[in-house]
Amino acid sequence: MTRTKATQTDTGPELPPAMAMFMAANPVSAQAWMDMMAESARFMTTRLQANLKTQTALMYCTSPAEVIEVQTAFLSEAMQTYAEEAARLMRMTVTASTDIAQDLKSGHSRGYDDIPV
């Protein structure tokens, strides 16, 4: 008699046990953390693209004045985008803190009759 293996559908990458435990214990906090990590990855990708664009522009410079112009534009843009990102992360942190505090107040306490004797 031949055994056949039941096929399992792929549900994507499994969460590490610590993350699964974190999500189960406090899903609001876990979601806030994942949102901030996604935002950080988005920002990093944007900055890397800007860095590549600047490096390309520097390769086409034909004079020291052009180099200074490209570098000045890059630094001005970088300072602006980093300031905007810091403000965005601060807003996300405040919102997450408020949401987590509300979730903690929502009454997730255990009942006295849920422990078998």
Side-chain angles (χ1 to χ4, degrees):
M1 180 178 208
T2 307
R3 288 189 181 183
T4 58
K5 288 186 176 182
T7 58
Q8 295 179 346
T9 56
D10 184 17
T11 59
E14 289 188 30
L15 289 175
M19 185 63 187
M21 188 171 53
F22 179 51
M23 288 183 72
N26 193 336
V28 175
S29 180
Q31 185 62 48
W33 181 81
M34 288 189 295
D35 291 345
M36 291 189 78
M37 292 300 103
E39 174 57 29
S40 296
R42 184 209 58 80
F43 178 72
M44 181 185 68
T45 300
T46 302
R47 290 306 312 153
L48 288 173
Q49 289 171 344
N51 291 354
L52 181 61
K53 179 181 162 190
T54 300
Q55 290 174 12
T56 303
L58 286 169
M59 288 192 304
Y60 288 101
C61 289
T62 57
S63 69
E66 286 180 5
V67 171
I68 291 172
E69 186 179 327
V70 169
Q71 288 178 333
T72 301
F74 172 76
L75 289 174
S76 296
E77 179 194 355
M79 287 173 43
Q80 170 112 17
T81 56
Y82 274 94
E84 290 169 358
E85 183 65 11
R88 187 177 299 113
L89 288 173
M90 179 59 75
R91 283 191 304 274
M92 289 177 78
T93 301
V94 168
T95 300
S97 297
T98 304
D99 292 347
I100 292 167
Q102 282 300 110
D103 185 58
L104 291 174
K105 293 179 187 177
S106 67
H108 290 292
S109 63
R110 294 176 52 175
Y112 290 108
D113 61 349
D114 67 345
I115 301 170
V117 188

